[in-house]
């Protein structure tokens, strides 16, 4: 949920929350408050492991480590992303 309120059946989804809707859906009914914005992502499940950490997505921990190194080096593939202070936004350390 990006902004506003969303009702999915009997469940309410708050702003900045994700809702998992399960597999094999043929249809979906959303009830949105006026002015609400929602992002719906779907598709066939992937047949491989996917790793997600902070803003990085890859096929292995090595992919994530490389993305972190590239981010910290200011690689062009990420563009320029500034924090509130105008400095490059720092990524947290990989656990």
């Amino acid at each position: 949920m990006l902004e506003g309120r969303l009702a999915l059946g009997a469940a309410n989804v708050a702003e900045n929350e994700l809702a998992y809707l399960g597999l094999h859906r043929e249809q979906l009914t959303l009830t949105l408050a006026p002015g609400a914005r929602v992002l719906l992502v779907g598709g066939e499940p992937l047949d491989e492991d996917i790793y997600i950490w902070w803003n990085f997505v890859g096929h292995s921990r090595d992919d994530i480590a490389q993305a972190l190194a590239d981010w910290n080096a200011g690689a062009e593939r990420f563009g320029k992303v500034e924090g509130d202070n105008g400095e490059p936004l720092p990524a947290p350390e990989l656990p």
Side-chain angles (χ1 to χ4, degrees):
M1 190 66 213
L2 299 175
E3 293 178 2
R5 294 185 315 247
L6 164 67
L8 286 168
N12 291 313
V13 181
E15 196 167 299
N16 295 319
E17 282 187 347
L18 295 175
Y20 176 67
L21 304 175
L23 301 173
H24 310 295
R25 285 188 175 267
E26 296 282 328
Q27 61 183 350
L28 176 65
T29 301
L30 303 175
T31 305
L32 300 169
R37 294 183 335 133
V38 63
L39 175 66
L40 183 62
V41 179
E44 292 293 321
L46 300 172
D47 291 332
E48 57 191 299
D49 290 337
I50 299 295
Y51 295 80
I52 301 172
W53 177 80
W54 194 55
N55 289 330
F56 308 128
V57 179
H59 296 281
S60 68
R61 181 178 172 85
D62 289 342
D63 285 353
I64 301 299
Q66 183 63 57
L68 175 59
D70 290 349
W71 178 271
N72 288 335
E76 284 188 31
R77 72 177 180 140
F78 293 114
K80 185 176 181 180
V81 181
E82 296 177 351
D84 293 336
N85 61 2
E87 295 294 319
L89 184 66
E93 291 185 32
L94 187 60

